[in-house]
Amino acid sequence: VILTMGKQWVCLVCGYNLMGRGPTRCPFCGAPRESFISAGEAGERFRVRKEPVGDGVYQLLSTPRLGLEHAAYYLERERVMIDCPSVYNEAVAEGLGGLDYILYTHPHFLGAGNLFKERFGCELWLHALDAKNSLCRGLELNKSFLEEFELRTAGAQHIGGHTPGFCVYLYGTSLFVCDYFFQGRPWTLNPYGPREETRAGAKKILQTARKGNFRWICGFNYAMGYRDWMGGVGQIWGLE
């Protein structure tokens, strides 16, 4: 399969994919044009690791690690991806059983979505409030939604806060929260967004987590058991 990789570049500092024009400066992290390589070169230098989480969910992350790249997750039985790796190559494409949809949590790390779409004919979905973000320029979205939905058996819940359209996704015993919470000692909320709105969104996520029958919480650089995650976010002052 020959894809239009010449129209896409990848930032080595953060993993952001720039689409449709040559790079001058990374619109996400500000790195200079020298920090970009073509999507084709990225596909040669990096591979995407497919690690099982549980219940047919797999974490996808570039190896070696590509800057600040966020993990994506593949729901094998549903042929759905939550977020998208920064790198596309045939090895990762062949490792997927198929792909019908990429559902984005927010617009900061859109990855190689256009290339996966070209390869599989999948649809790209993002909340309408985030589809307005300039970082989405060049992304070939199929649907910008406003209403919460269930697609097959994966559900979207609008949270807001960190970004206006931020969504978490629920699938079986897994909850996908991306970068809303930073793992550490102590854990913290993502500081890049309006403070009070982000805190309110975090409380909503915790309510969802407690009501569901979740075994796994899938974040931007971790996938861990529910109890361990609840113990971590419980360190964040003011969320209870």
Side-chain angles (χ1 to χ4, degrees):
V1 178
I2 300 175
L3 304 181
T4 54
M5 288 188 172
K7 298 180 180 180
Q8 194 151 316
W9 293 265
V10 181
C11 177
L12 293 173
V13 176
C14 69
Y16 179 79
N17 275 235
L18 186 68
M19 295 157 281
R21 56 188 172 85
T24 53
R25 184 169 295 275
C26 180
F28 184 78
C29 74
R33 65 184 303 164
E34 292 78 16
S35 300
F36 280 86
I37 59 175
S38 70
E41 184 179 350
E44 294 174 358
R45 290 174 55 177
F46 298 88
R47 290 294 180 263
V48 176
R49 186 180 70 247
K50 180 183 174 185
E51 295 287 344
V53 176
D55 298 332
V57 175
Y58 293 85
Q59 186 188 72
L60 305 175
L61 195 61
S62 296
T63 180
R65 186 69 183 268
L66 180 50
L68 303 175
E69 181 191 30
H70 288 22
Y73 293 89
Y74 178 59
L75 317 183
E76 187 170 58
R77 289 189 289 270
E78 303 302 316
R79 296 163 56 103
V80 168
M81 194 182 287
I82 308 296
D83 292 325
C84 185
S86 291
V87 169
Y88 171 89
N89 54 46
E90 274 303 300
V92 64
E94 292 171 1
L96 303 180
L99 184 61
D100 296 331
Y101 298 92
I102 298 176
L103 309 178
Y104 287 109
T105 56
H106 66 307
H108 290 164
F109 287 86
L110 302 170
N114 282 355
L115 298 176
F116 280 93
K117 177 178 180 178
E118 190 173 352
R119 170 63 169 78
F120 289 100
C122 59
E123 294 190 6
L124 312 183
W125 291 22
L126 175 69
H127 195 280
L129 294 178
D130 279 348
K132 302 174 183 178
N133 193 302
S134 62
L135 294 175
C136 298
R137 190 175 296 124
L139 183 71
E140 298 174 3
L141 277 177
N142 294 89
K143 184 171 183 177
S144 55
F145 58 88
L146 279 171
E147 300 295 326
E148 296 181 355
F149 64 85
E150 186 170 293
L151 177 65
R152 297 177 176 171
T153 58
Q157 182 180 28
H158 178 227
I159 299 297
H162 172 45
T163 65
F166 193 101
C167 290
V168 298
Y169 291 93
L170 302 78
Y171 170 71
T173 59
S174 297
L175 175 63
F176 303 88
V177 300
C178 197
D179 62 350
Y180 222 93
F181 304 88
F182 288 171
Q183 185 181 18
R185 298 183 178 179
W187 284 55
T188 58
L189 289 180
N190 192 318
Y192 301 104
R195 183 176 183 275
E196 293 307 315
E197 288 89 338
T198 299
R199 187 168 292 275
K203 291 181 178 179
K204 187 175 181 180
I205 293 173
L206 286 179
Q207 291 173 356
T208 297
R210 291 192 178 104
K211 290 178 182 177
N213 184 31
F214 297 111
R215 295 177 55 202
W216 303 101
I217 308 296
C218 299
F220 78 105
N221 65 354
Y222 61 83
M224 64 173 56
Y226 170 82
R227 289 189 178 183
D228 289 339
W229 181 81
M230 288 296 291
V233 298
Q235 302 169 15
I236 301 175
W237 181 84
L239 286 190
E240 297 299 327

